[in-house]
Amino acid sequence: MEAEIFDLTIVGAGPAGLFAAYYAGLWQMKVKIIESLDAPGGQLTLLYPEKEIKDVAGFTSITARQLVENLSQQLANIEATICYNEEVTQLEKKDDLFFLTTGKETHVSKAVLLTTGGGAFVPRKLTIGAAKALEGKKIFYQVDNLKKYSGRNVALLGGGDSAVDWALALESIAKEVSLIHRRTQFRALEHSTNLLMQSKVEVLTPFVLEDLKEDGQQLELSLRHVKTKDIFKIMVDDLLVNYGFINTHQTLVDENLQSPDGKIIVDSTGATALPGLFACGDIASYPGKIQLIATGFGEAPTAVNNIHFYLHPESRLQPAHSTSL
């Protein structure tokens, strides 16, 4: 069965990628986004969802989480295919088409826009007991739907913003919530930590997960106290793990398209030296580049307009005003 051919495939669903996809939709392009994680937002969602961003036009202050939600709502107004949990491992051009290979399939596109930011991220996973076999069944590394934990006993591992945020969000949904952290102090925002301590969430510190195993329909967690070495066991229905993420960024382009620090060299249009391959956002490099989210939002429409002109050289490069699109 032949692969469907898209006008533009965007690699990375961070802020620049989401906005670029929306803007390409205004041009009526057939757009696809490929993202290594199971949700949009990239580093914003993973590393600092509750931190305030103060350099986005139109917002005195907006949290990273809300910005991603707004971008996702904006993207919902156009037709776009989004492929989550797929990391592009190979990118090659044959004749006039690009072939992007992931662990699941090969995607075909007339043009490609790289918006991978600091690279592809995958969660740090548990390697003890039956953890691997239970991934996606009883052990989860991201929360995609809070309602599925309704009435269940849930334990969380971690001490950062995401772990604390998940625990607080689940407090009113799950039957019981336990948060396990190897330190007595949390890395989360002070405000969130204060809410945690006032909540009904059972806070277990300082403990580390020593072992886990299935016991009927539940998981038996063996927790080791960091100081006393005593073992404490609890039974849960689900285990959510937030031990951070690993950057698995790998080079998808030839060395002659890269800067010394591994960025993608582009010109003022966002184009690389390979026709049809563009980049914007933190992955793009050019003289005077400023690494800001706001910069990526400006680079995205510049790249998309030039991609449209690449695909349709008979068209105007300078677009009509957005009110006319």
Side-chain angles (χ1 to χ4, degrees), residues 217-239:
Q217 296 298 312
Q218 289 190 303
L219 283 177
E220 181 185 88
L221 306 183
S222 297
L223 310 179
R224 175 171 52 82
H225 194 280
V226 173
K227 296 180 179 178
T228 66
K229 310 302 180 183
D230 291 337
I231 298 297
F232 176 64
K233 295 184 178 182
I234 63 172
M235 302 296 296
V236 300
D237 297 312
D238 304 292
L239 176 64

PDB file of all heavy atoms in Angstrom, residues 217-239:
ATOM      1  N   GLN A 217      -4.852  -8.080  40.252  1.00  0.00           N
ATOM      2  CA  GLN A 217      -5.135  -6.941  39.391  1.00  0.00           C
ATOM      3  C   GLN A 217      -4.366  -5.689  39.818  1.00  0.00           C
ATOM      4  O   GLN A 217      -4.511  -4.630  39.200  1.00  0.00           O
ATOM      5  CB  GLN A 217      -6.640  -6.633  39.417  1.00  0.00           C
ATOM      6  CG  GLN A 217      -7.506  -7.744  38.856  1.00  0.00           C
ATOM      7  CD  GLN A 217      -7.212  -8.023  37.394  1.00  0.00           C
ATOM      8  OE1 GLN A 217      -7.138  -7.109  36.579  1.00  0.00           O
ATOM      9  NE2 GLN A 217      -7.034  -9.293  37.053  1.00  0.00           N
ATOM     10  N   GLN A 218      -3.539  -5.825  40.862  1.00  0.00           N
ATOM     11  CA  GLN A 218      -2.830  -4.658  41.379  1.00  0.00           C
ATOM     12  C   GLN A 218      -1.317  -4.816  41.267  1.00  0.00           C
ATOM     13  O   GLN A 218      -0.797  -5.873  40.891  1.00  0.00           O
ATOM     14  CB  GLN A 218      -3.219  -4.414  42.838  1.00  0.00           C
ATOM     15  CG  GLN A 218      -4.638  -3.911  43.020  1.00  0.00           C
ATOM     16  CD  GLN A 218      -4.885  -3.462  44.453  1.00  0.00           C
ATOM     17  OE1 GLN A 218      -4.713  -4.227  45.393  1.00  0.00           O
ATOM     18  NE2 GLN A 218      -5.289  -2.211  44.603  1.00  0.00           N
ATOM     19  N   LEU A 219      -0.623  -3.744  41.611  1.00  0.00           N
ATOM     20  CA  LEU A 219       0.832  -3.748  41.688  1.00  0.00           C
ATOM     21  C   LEU A 219       1.250  -3.687  43.148  1.00  0.00           C
ATOM     22  O   LEU A 219       0.693  -2.902  43.925  1.00  0.00           O
ATOM     23  CB  LEU A 219       1.415  -2.522  40.975  1.00  0.00           C
ATOM     24  CG  LEU A 219       1.489  -2.501  39.460  1.00  0.00           C
ATOM     25  CD1 LEU A 219       2.028  -1.154  38.998  1.00  0.00           C
ATOM     26  CD2 LEU A 219       2.357  -3.621  38.945  1.00  0.00           C
ATOM     27  N   GLU A 220       2.216  -4.510  43.509  1.00  0.00           N
ATOM     28  CA  GLU A 220       2.814  -4.419  44.837  1.00  0.00           C
ATOM     29  C   GLU A 220       4.119  -3.659  44.700  1.00  0.00           C
ATOM     30  O   GLU A 220       5.032  -4.100  44.004  1.00  0.00           O
ATOM     31  CB  GLU A 220       3.076  -5.802  45.419  1.00  0.00           C
ATOM     32  CG  GLU A 220       3.690  -5.744  46.823  1.00  0.00           C
ATOM     33  CD  GLU A 220       4.071  -7.118  47.344  1.00  0.00           C
ATOM     34  OE1 GLU A 220       5.217  -7.545  47.070  1.00  0.00           O
ATOM     35  OE2 GLU A 220       3.226  -7.743  48.007  1.00  0.00           O
ATOM     36  N   LEU A 221       4.217  -2.513  45.357  1.00  0.00           N
ATOM     37  CA  LEU A 221       5.425  -1.693  45.319  1.00  0.00           C
ATOM     38  C   LEU A 221       6.207  -1.872  46.607  1.00  0.00           C
ATOM     39  O   LEU A 221       5.659  -1.720  47.703  1.00  0.00           O
ATOM     40  CB  LEU A 221       5.076  -0.213  45.141  1.00  0.00           C
ATOM     41  CG  LEU A 221       4.183   0.168  43.963  1.00  0.00           C
ATOM     42  CD1 LEU A 221       4.008   1.690  43.903  1.00  0.00           C
ATOM     43  CD2 LEU A 221       4.747  -0.345  42.650  1.00  0.00           C
ATOM     44  N   SER A 222       7.485  -2.204  46.469  1.00  0.00           N
ATOM     45  CA  SER A 222       8.366  -2.308  47.637  1.00  0.00           C
ATOM     46  C   SER A 222       9.203  -1.045  47.701  1.00  0.00           C
ATOM     47  O   SER A 222      10.018  -0.784  46.817  1.00  0.00           O
ATOM     48  CB  SER A 222       9.269  -3.546  47.520  1.00  0.00           C
ATOM     49  OG  SER A 222       8.505  -4.725  47.521  1.00  0.00           O
ATOM     50  N   LEU A 223       9.005  -0.263  48.744  1.00  0.00           N
ATOM     51  CA  LEU A 223       9.697   1.013  48.903  1.00  0.00           C
ATOM     52  C   LEU A 223      10.760   0.892  49.993  1.00  0.00           C
ATOM     53  O   LEU A 223      10.487   0.372  51.074  1.00  0.00           O
ATOM     54  CB  LEU A 223       8.701   2.113  49.272  1.00  0.00           C
ATOM     55  CG  LEU A 223       7.452   2.227  48.385  1.00  0.00           C
ATOM     56  CD1 LEU A 223       6.550   3.341  48.897  1.00  0.00           C
ATOM     57  CD2 LEU A 223       7.825   2.461  46.935  1.00  0.00           C
ATOM     58  N   ARG A 224      11.954   1.376  49.696  1.00  0.00           N
ATOM     59  CA  ARG A 224      13.043   1.344  50.679  1.00  0.00           C
ATOM     60  C   ARG A 224      13.292   2.743  51.217  1.00  0.00           C
ATOM     61  O   ARG A 224      13.496   3.687  50.456  1.00  0.00           O
ATOM     62  CB  ARG A 224      14.324   0.797  50.048  1.00  0.00           C
ATOM     63  CG  ARG A 224      15.543   0.845  50.976  1.00  0.00           C
ATOM     64  CD  ARG A 224      16.714   0.107  50.389  1.00  0.00           C
ATOM     65  NE  ARG A 224      17.023   0.537  49.031  1.00  0.00           N
ATOM     66  CZ  ARG A 224      17.750   1.625  48.737  1.00  0.00           C
ATOM     67  NH1 ARG A 224      18.221   2.384  49.714  1.00  0.00           N
ATOM     68  NH2 ARG A 224      18.002   1.942  47.477  1.00  0.00           N
ATOM     69  N   HIS A 225      13.260   2.867  52.550  1.00  0.00           N
ATOM     70  CA  HIS A 225      13.522   4.150  53.184  1.00  0.00           C
ATOM     71  C   HIS A 225      14.992   4.497  52.987  1.00  0.00           C
ATOM     72  O   HIS A 225      15.883   3.678  53.251  1.00  0.00           O
ATOM     73  CB  HIS A 225      13.182   4.096  54.672  1.00  0.00           C
ATOM     74  CG  HIS A 225      13.100   5.439  55.319  1.00  0.00           C
ATOM     75  ND1 HIS A 225      14.224   6.138  55.716  1.00  0.00           N
ATOM     76  CD2 HIS A 225      12.031   6.230  55.613  1.00  0.00           C
ATOM     77  CE1 HIS A 225      13.846   7.284  56.252  1.00  0.00           C
ATOM     78  NE2 HIS A 225      12.514   7.364  56.203  1.00  0.00           N
ATOM     79  N   VAL A 226      15.256   5.699  52.499  1.00  0.00           N
ATOM     80  CA  VAL A 226      16.619   6.094  52.151  1.00  0.00           C
ATOM     81  C   VAL A 226      17.562   6.034  53.342  1.00  0.00           C
ATOM     82  O   VAL A 226      18.728   5.638  53.209  1.00  0.00           O
ATOM     83  CB  VAL A 226      16.615   7.507  51.528  1.00  0.00           C
ATOM     84  CG1 VAL A 226      18.037   8.004  51.317  1.00  0.00           C
ATOM     85  CG2 VAL A 226      15.858   7.500  50.205  1.00  0.00           C
ATOM     86  N   LYS A 227      17.083   6.408  54.524  1.00  0.00           N
ATOM     87  CA  LYS A 227      17.955   6.469  55.698  1.00  0.00           C
ATOM     88  C   LYS A 227      17.961   5.177  56.505  1.00  0.00           C
ATOM     89  O   LYS A 227      19.016   4.651  56.842  1.00  0.00           O
ATOM     90  CB  LYS A 227      17.533   7.644  56.583  1.00  0.00           C
ATOM     91  CG  LYS A 227      17.718   9.000  55.903  1.00  0.00           C
ATOM     92  CD  LYS A 227      17.289  10.137  56.830  1.00  0.00           C
ATOM     93  CE  LYS A 227      17.492  11.493  56.153  1.00  0.00           C
ATOM     94  NZ  LYS A 227      17.045  12.609  57.022  1.00  0.00           N
ATOM     95  N   THR A 228      16.789   4.656  56.821  1.00  0.00           N
ATOM     96  CA  THR A 228      16.730   3.480  57.697  1.00  0.00           C
ATOM     97  C   THR A 228      16.877   2.159  56.932  1.00  0.00           C
ATOM     98  O   THR A 228      17.134   1.126  57.543  1.00  0.00           O
ATOM     99  CB  THR A 228      15.386   3.446  58.446  1.00  0.00           C
ATOM    100  OG1 THR A 228      14.324   3.244  57.507  1.00  0.00           O
ATOM    101  CG2 THR A 228      15.171   4.752  59.205  1.00  0.00           C
ATOM    102  N   LYS A 229      16.687   2.198  55.620  1.00  0.00           N
ATOM    103  CA  LYS A 229      16.749   1.015  54.743  1.00  0.00           C
ATOM    104  C   LYS A 229      15.573   0.063  54.959  1.00  0.00           C
ATOM    105  O   LYS A 229      15.543  -1.028  54.386  1.00  0.00           O
ATOM    106  CB  LYS A 229      18.064   0.236  54.919  1.00  0.00           C
ATOM    107  CG  LYS A 229      19.323   1.099  54.847  1.00  0.00           C
ATOM    108  CD  LYS A 229      19.428   1.858  53.540  1.00  0.00           C
ATOM    109  CE  LYS A 229      20.675   2.712  53.497  1.00  0.00           C
ATOM    110  NZ  LYS A 229      20.785   3.527  52.259  1.00  0.00           N
ATOM    111  N   ASP A 230      14.613   0.454  55.773  1.00  0.00           N
ATOM    112  CA  ASP A 230      13.435  -0.378  56.001  1.00  0.00           C
ATOM    113  C   ASP A 230      12.613  -0.473  54.713  1.00  0.00           C
ATOM    114  O   ASP A 230      12.557   0.467  53.921  1.00  0.00           O
ATOM    115  CB  ASP A 230      12.557   0.211  57.106  1.00  0.00           C
ATOM    116  CG  ASP A 230      13.231   0.126  58.477  1.00  0.00           C
ATOM    117  OD1 ASP A 230      14.113  -0.738  58.637  1.00  0.00           O
ATOM    118  OD2 ASP A 230      12.874   0.921  59.362  1.00  0.00           O
ATOM    119  N   ILE A 231      11.953  -1.627  54.527  1.00  0.00           N
ATOM    120  CA  ILE A 231      11.116  -1.844  53.350  1.00  0.00           C
ATOM    121  C   ILE A 231       9.650  -1.645  53.723  1.00  0.00           C
ATOM    122  O   ILE A 231       9.160  -2.193  54.714  1.00  0.00           O
ATOM    123  CB  ILE A 231      11.320  -3.253  52.765  1.00  0.00           C
ATOM    124  CG1 ILE A 231      12.770  -3.446  52.309  1.00  0.00           C
ATOM    125  CG2 ILE A 231      10.365  -3.483  51.590  1.00  0.00           C
ATOM    126  CD1 ILE A 231      13.207  -2.531  51.184  1.00  0.00           C
ATOM    127  N   PHE A 232       8.987  -0.852  52.910  1.00  0.00           N
ATOM    128  CA  PHE A 232       7.578  -0.539  53.121  1.00  0.00           C
ATOM    129  C   PHE A 232       6.832  -0.897  51.842  1.00  0.00           C
ATOM    130  O   PHE A 232       7.232  -0.484  50.753  1.00  0.00           O
ATOM    131  CB  PHE A 232       7.426   0.946  53.458  1.00  0.00           C
ATOM    132  CG  PHE A 232       6.010   1.420  53.600  1.00  0.00           C
ATOM    133  CD1 PHE A 232       5.204   0.927  54.605  1.00  0.00           C
ATOM    134  CD2 PHE A 232       5.488   2.374  52.730  1.00  0.00           C
ATOM    135  CE1 PHE A 232       3.892   1.365  54.745  1.00  0.00           C
ATOM    136  CE2 PHE A 232       4.185   2.826  52.872  1.00  0.00           C
ATOM    137  CZ  PHE A 232       3.382   2.324  53.883  1.00  0.00           C
ATOM    138  N   LYS A 233       5.734  -1.679  51.958  1.00  0.00           N
ATOM    139  CA  LYS A 233       5.025  -2.128  50.770  1.00  0.00           C
ATOM    140  C   LYS A 233       3.634  -1.500  50.680  1.00  0.00           C
ATOM    141  O   LYS A 233       2.948  -1.360  51.694  1.00  0.00           O
ATOM    142  CB  LYS A 233       4.904  -3.655  50.757  1.00  0.00           C
ATOM    143  CG  LYS A 233       6.246  -4.371  50.643  1.00  0.00           C
ATOM    144  CD  LYS A 233       6.075  -5.873  50.546  1.00  0.00           C
ATOM    145  CE  LYS A 233       7.438  -6.560  50.385  1.00  0.00           C
ATOM    146  NZ  LYS A 233       7.291  -8.029  50.233  1.00  0.00           N
ATOM    147  N   ILE A 234       3.260  -1.136  49.465  1.00  0.00           N
ATOM    148  CA  ILE A 234       1.919  -0.611  49.236  1.00  0.00           C
ATOM    149  C   ILE A 234       1.341  -1.272  47.991  1.00  0.00           C
ATOM    150  O   ILE A 234       2.077  -1.700  47.096  1.00  0.00           O
ATOM    151  CB  ILE A 234       1.904   0.925  49.076  1.00  0.00           C
ATOM    152  CG1 ILE A 234       2.709   1.350  47.833  1.00  0.00           C
ATOM    153  CG2 ILE A 234       2.427   1.618  50.323  1.00  0.00           C
ATOM    154  CD1 ILE A 234       2.555   2.842  47.523  1.00  0.00           C
ATOM    155  N   MET A 235       0.009  -1.337  47.928  1.00  0.00           N
ATOM    156  CA  MET A 235      -0.696  -1.907  46.780  1.00  0.00           C
ATOM    157  C   MET A 235      -1.388  -0.776  46.020  1.00  0.00           C
ATOM    158  O   MET A 235      -2.063   0.066  46.628  1.00  0.00           O
ATOM    159  CB  MET A 235      -1.729  -2.935  47.244  1.00  0.00           C
ATOM    160  CG  MET A 235      -1.155  -4.085  48.058  1.00  0.00           C
ATOM    161  SD  MET A 235      -0.017  -5.116  47.107  1.00  0.00           S
ATOM    162  CE  MET A 235      -1.139  -5.788  45.870  1.00  0.00           C
ATOM    163  N   VAL A 236      -1.219  -0.755  44.706  1.00  0.00           N
ATOM    164  CA  VAL A 236      -1.833   0.286  43.880  1.00  0.00           C
ATOM    165  C   VAL A 236      -2.390  -0.343  42.601  1.00  0.00           C
ATOM    166  O   VAL A 236      -2.025  -1.452  42.214  1.00  0.00           O
ATOM    167  CB  VAL A 236      -0.821   1.392  43.515  1.00  0.00           C
ATOM    168  CG1 VAL A 236      -0.274   2.061  44.768  1.00  0.00           C
ATOM    169  CG2 VAL A 236       0.310   0.844  42.655  1.00  0.00           C
ATOM    170  N   ASP A 237      -3.270   0.405  41.956  1.00  0.00           N
ATOM    171  CA  ASP A 237      -3.801  -0.028  40.662  1.00  0.00           C
ATOM    172  C   ASP A 237      -2.920   0.446  39.512  1.00  0.00           C
ATOM    173  O   ASP A 237      -2.743  -0.256  38.516  1.00  0.00           O
ATOM    174  CB  ASP A 237      -5.217   0.518  40.473  1.00  0.00           C
ATOM    175  CG  ASP A 237      -6.194  -0.017  41.505  1.00  0.00           C
ATOM    176  OD1 ASP A 237      -6.211  -1.242  41.713  1.00  0.00           O
ATOM    177  OD2 ASP A 237      -6.931   0.793  42.106  1.00  0.00           O
ATOM    178  N   ASP A 238      -2.390   1.653  39.658  1.00  0.00           N
ATOM    179  CA  ASP A 238      -1.579   2.252  38.592  1.00  0.00           C
ATOM    180  C   ASP A 238      -0.375   2.977  39.181  1.00  0.00           C
ATOM    181  O   ASP A 238      -0.450   3.533  40.290  1.00  0.00           O
ATOM    182  CB  ASP A 238      -2.410   3.262  37.782  1.00  0.00           C
ATOM    183  CG  ASP A 238      -3.669   2.651  37.203  1.00  0.00           C
ATOM    184  OD1 ASP A 238      -3.550   1.796  36.314  1.00  0.00           O
ATOM    185  OD2 ASP A 238      -4.768   3.026  37.660  1.00  0.00           O
ATOM    186  N   LEU A 239       0.710   2.990  38.404  1.00  0.00           N
ATOM    187  CA  LEU A 239       1.918   3.691  38.812  1.00  0.00           C
ATOM    188  C   LEU A 239       2.302   4.689  37.727  1.00  0.00           C
ATOM    189  O   LEU A 239       2.493   4.310  36.564  1.00  0.00           O
ATOM    190  CB  LEU A 239       3.070   2.703  39.033  1.00  0.00           C
ATOM    191  CG  LEU A 239       4.432   3.310  39.385  1.00  0.00           C
ATOM    192  CD1 LEU A 239       4.357   4.040  40.730  1.00  0.00           C
ATOM    193  CD2 LEU A 239       5.503   2.228  39.425  1.00  0.00           C
TER     194      LEU A 239
END
